[in-house]
Amino acid sequence: MDLRFGDSKPTDEERAAIDTLLGPPESSWEGADRSDADLRWARGGREARERRDLLLPGLHAVNDRIGWISEGALDYLCRRLTVPPAEAYGVATFYAMFSVKPRPATVLHVCTDLACAAAGASELCAGVEARLGLGSGVSVERSPCLGLCERAPATLAIKAGDPVRTAVSAPATVERAVLAASAPDSAPEEPPAALAVPQAGRAGREELVLLSRVGVVDPVSLDDYRAHGGYTALRQAFAIGPAGVIREVTDAGLVGRGGAAFPTGRKWQATASQPDRPHYLVCNADESEPGTFKDRVVMEGDPYSLVEAMTIAGYAVGAHKGYLYLRGEYPRALERMEHAIGQARARGLLGDDVLGQGYAFDIEIRRGAGAYICGEETALFNSIEGYRGEPRSKPPFPVEKGLFGKPTAENNVETLINVLPILTMGSQAYAAIGTGKSTGPKLFCVSGSVDRPGIYELPFGATLGELLDLAGVRKRLRAVLLGGAAGGFVRPDELDIPLTFEGTREAGTTLGSGVVLAFDDTVPLPRLLLRIAEFFRDESCGQCVPCRVGTVRQEEALHRIVDRTGAAAASDIALLREVGRAMKDASICGLGQTAWNAVESAIDRLGAYE
């Protein structure tokens, strides 16, 4: 292994940031001053390599403290972990939130994705860039979705230091965004998570299951959570045992809410039955699909529910360690989850003896750093392990060889919190909600041209029209995007589509993660399609040729036809279809396989370029 360490040295601040995470180096082999003993033998190599998974937290530590990652800091981190610098550089440059080039300590991320684009993100960007020009000490970066779609347009300011400071502005104006970037500590406080749940203030609150505590409990109070039914489900889990939990989840018909709709009970049973040890549980809270923000609202408004649900899932699959992979763009969710995990650990609800039942389980948070592809489960595993977040080939599947090569159950936030009502109300009562094939309640992220954007909880089987009636469509509806950028468009005369996995499939579209983006006739559809193509071009990991090349060709073709219609665009539309089929058939993972979906549906269902 050729480490290729350079001569660059870290600054005292960079060294302190890394040492705070890893502890002081024990020898010159890890970056300390050389002693006579170090000349006699090498030590620490194997132990350091076994800590490769701390590479991503180490990059975060430097980026948070300094604002960018210098060659000296990267070199020192690599010495500490015995990682080849070339590999670490490949990891550092993989993530959009990191920079390996000097930049100001303050970075203002301005969302330019679908919901924000429809709400005037272009004008906001132009105004902010004009106000914060060269010499302002602020770097303005156009960003993919920040997960604040219900308050679009949105910005996120990050000011490096010890500690790092963040400020969200949403809905943002030029003045609010500039204030957030210039003085994060003086920026107005974010509104409570309950404001993202329109049903919380309406007569429908008593029908809420998954969101029943948002806006009711104090999200930082463990006692308040327990007073409203918290940890009842975990006690029931201990009463019926791991096999009983899996049986209840299976009988309830719970399927994954991230879009794949794989039966959760089957996944848990397959993981639990593996003889290889240890087993791991991973919660995927890296919801980067444009238009998705449900997991953020849950983590901000009811964080202990996720801690309890992860503990139950870990118990069921025989895991003693859980990882919560959380979006780097969610500072308040990170703060709430860190507090909730700390409180649960202090009160014996995590740790060596959970609730005195002799079961050991703990949760570690790992922050993402701006990579949509890490929403794919195997890419997420690579990210945690300290590698580039590139998907792995399957088989073997994660239930056999997942995180660190061990059996792993991976679920997203919404899937996990559904386990709580399954255990408290019983599998039969839960299965009675929704339809025979799509059971239980579902969270929908509604944004765009509606009066009341936010998270809506409805039983599976409600129609798209019923959901939009709750949200209140503004002006004349032009189209609805289901499933986000990886989903598909439907027409205003198709609002009777039932919101179930099988119903949307029969209608030739997809439910995906529950994104519902409404666009009125003032929104320029060709520009939206071009933004979707730009998104997939940027977010492709580049590992496989069909996706790496196809997303670029798709964007190029849309650029050529964005101002043309009819016969002039026919050849490029034919090219788009050919490229789209190649990506769908030959890409390694779901990113390339779905990158053509929205464009195809806009052409075929909406006549976007006629």
Side-chain angles (χ1 to χ4, degrees):
M1 178 175 66
D2 190 355
L3 294 179
R4 295 287 181 182
F5 287 121
D7 297 326
S8 300
K9 302 297 182 184
T11 66
D12 290 342
E13 277 285 287
E14 291 168 340
R15 184 185 292 269
I18 295 170
D19 288 349
T20 299
L21 174 71
L22 302 178
E26 295 184 358
S27 71
S28 64
W29 298 100
E30 291 188 22
D33 294 332
R34 177 166 291 176
S35 68
D36 291 340
D38 294 335
L39 298 175
R40 295 187 177 92
W41 65 80
R43 58 183 177 180
R46 177 175 296 178
E47 291 82 357
R49 285 191 294 275
E50 289 175 350
R51 297 195 296 172
R52 168 75 185 244
D53 66 296
L54 294 178
L55 179 59
L56 182 57
L59 295 172
H60 268 298
V62 176
N63 199 71
D64 285 349
R65 182 81 68 96
I66 311 300
W68 67 287
I69 302 163
S70 71
E71 183 179 343
L74 189 65
D75 187 86
Y76 180 65
L77 179 60
C78 289
R79 288 183 186 275
R80 295 298 317 274
L81 298 176
T82 319
V83 174
E87 291 186 22
Y89 182 84
V91 174
T93 54
F94 186 83
Y95 298 97
M97 297 184 75
F98 295 150
S99 175
V100 294
K101 297 180 180 179
R103 65 179 178 183
T106 300
V107 178
L108 180 66
H109 299 273
V110 183
C111 179
T112 58
D113 241 317
L114 304 179
C116 289
S122 296
E123 294 78 8
L124 175 64
C125 267
V128 169
E129 289 170 344
R131 290 278 296 275
L132 296 173
L134 293 175
S136 66
V138 177
S139 173
V140 180
E141 298 187 2
R142 297 182 179 230
S143 169
C145 185
L146 294 174
L148 296 162
C149 316
E150 84 281 13
R151 308 202 306 269
T155 69
L156 168 64
I158 303 176
K159 184 175 182 178
D162 185 20
V164 63
R165 294 172 175 81
T166 62
V168 166
S169 178
T173 62
V174 173
E175 291 72 22
R176 291 173 186 164
V178 169
L179 173 62
S182 305
D185 293 335
S186 302
E189 187 176 351
E190 282 193 75
L195 288 188
V197 185
Q199 292 163 297
R202 298 162 66 87
R205 171 175 277 286
E206 62 273 10
E207 300 176 4
L208 298 180
V209 178
L210 305 177
L211 301 176
S212 62
R213 282 184 289 261
V214 177
V216 175
V217 302
D218 180 354
V220 302
S221 173
L222 177 55
D223 290 332
D224 204 7
Y225 175 71
R226 298 183 77 167
H228 288 83
Y231 283 95
T232 303
L234 180 58
R235 293 184 183 279
Q236 176 64 13
F238 283 136
I240 62 177
V245 172
I246 294 175
R247 183 174 57 252
E248 286 290 293
V249 170
T250 302
D251 292 346
L254 177 64
V255 298
R257 301 299 201 242
F262 189 84
T264 303
R266 281 176 54 192
K267 178 184 288 188
W268 288 12
Q269 180 59 52
T271 306
S273 63
Q274 295 296 320
D276 194 14
R277 299 286 170 172
H279 294 180
Y280 290 105
L281 172 76
V282 174
C283 174
N284 184 351
D286 190 55
E287 55 171 5
S288 304
E289 186 70 55
T292 311
F293 50 97
K294 54 188 172 62
D295 293 350
R296 171 183 63 80
V297 173
V298 170
M299 290 186 290
E300 291 180 351
D302 192 16
Y304 290 102
S305 67
L306 181 57
V307 176
E308 181 182 6
M310 288 185 67
T311 308
I312 293 169
Y315 177 65
V317 303
H320 298 288
K321 182 70 175 289
Y323 287 89
L324 172 60
Y325 191 89
L326 202 156
R327 276 199 80 183
E329 296 91 340
Y330 283 176
R332 186 164 69 171
L334 173 64
E335 178 187 348
R336 294 276 168 86
M337 291 309 305
E338 285 179 335
H339 177 80
I341 290 171
Q343 288 295 301
R345 191 179 293 129
R347 302 277 287 274
L349 299 168
L350 289 174
D352 295 334
D353 188 14
V354 177
L355 277 178
Q357 297 292 319
Y359 168 62
F361 183 76
D362 212 340
I363 298 171
E364 184 174 340
I365 296 177
R366 291 297 175 92
R367 293 162 58 198
Y372 171 76
I373 190 63
C374 288
E376 197 278 337
E377 58 185 356
T378 60
L380 186 156
F381 299 157
N382 276 339
S383 181
I384 292 176
E385 291 176 20
Y387 297 93
R388 289 168 62 88
E390 296 173 341
R392 304 172 184 174
S393 297
K394 302 175 189 175
F397 294 97
V399 297
E400 301 167 314
K401 290 188 179 296
L403 185 63
F404 303 119
K406 299 298 182 179
T408 304
E410 182 268 354
N411 296 106
N412 74 350
V413 173
E414 184 187 355
T415 305
L416 287 168
I417 63 171
N418 268 273
V419 175
L420 305 183
I422 289 174
L423 293 180
T424 54
M425 68 172 58
S427 58
Q428 290 187 350
Y430 178 91
I433 302 172
T435 67
K437 293 183 179 179
S438 295
T439 63
K442 178 75 182 78
L443 301 182
F444 297 96
C445 310
V446 185
S447 60
S449 304
V450 295
D451 293 322
R452 295 175 293 278
I455 303 296
Y456 287 83
E457 180 184 323
L458 293 175
F460 274 115
T463 66
L464 177 58
E466 291 170 343
L467 175 59
L468 291 176
D469 284 343
L470 287 175
V473 178
R474 298 197 304 258
K475 301 181 181 179
R476 193 166 73 88
L477 189 64
R478 170 73 172 92
V480 180
L481 179 60
L482 290 180
F489 286 96
V490 298
R491 300 185 304 270
D493 61 352
E494 298 179 294
L495 301 186
D496 59 347
I497 293 176
L499 295 174
T500 60
F501 291 111
E502 65 276 11
T504 52
R505 194 180 305 117
E506 291 171 4
T509 184
T510 179
L511 193 61
S513 60
V515 173
V516 179
L517 264 165
F519 299 106
D520 60 33
D521 55 5
T522 66
V523 176
L525 191 58
R527 177 59 226 172
L528 280 181
L529 297 180
L530 188 55
R531 178 66 190 101
I532 291 173
E534 292 170 347
F535 172 81
F536 282 114
R537 176 209 64 199
D538 289 341
E539 298 296 340
S540 172
C541 75
Q543 181 181 195
C544 68
V545 172
C547 180
R548 181 177 71 242
V549 177
T551 53
V552 175
R553 295 293 172 262
Q554 178 173 264
E555 184 203 5
E556 290 172 345
L558 288 173
H559 267 296
R560 287 194 296 269
I561 66 177
V562 71
D563 296 321
R564 297 185 294 161
T565 56
S571 61
D572 276 317
I573 290 176
L575 175 63
L576 280 171
R577 293 188 188 281
E578 183 178 353
V579 170
R581 282 195 298 270
M583 289 194 292
K584 186 174 294 187
D585 292 342
S587 295
I588 287 177
C589 79
L591 187 150
Q593 294 163 11
T594 60
W596 153 246
N597 285 1
V599 178
E600 179 183 33
S601 65
I603 293 171
D604 293 343
R605 298 179 94 118
L606 304 179
Y609 297 109
E610 293 178 357

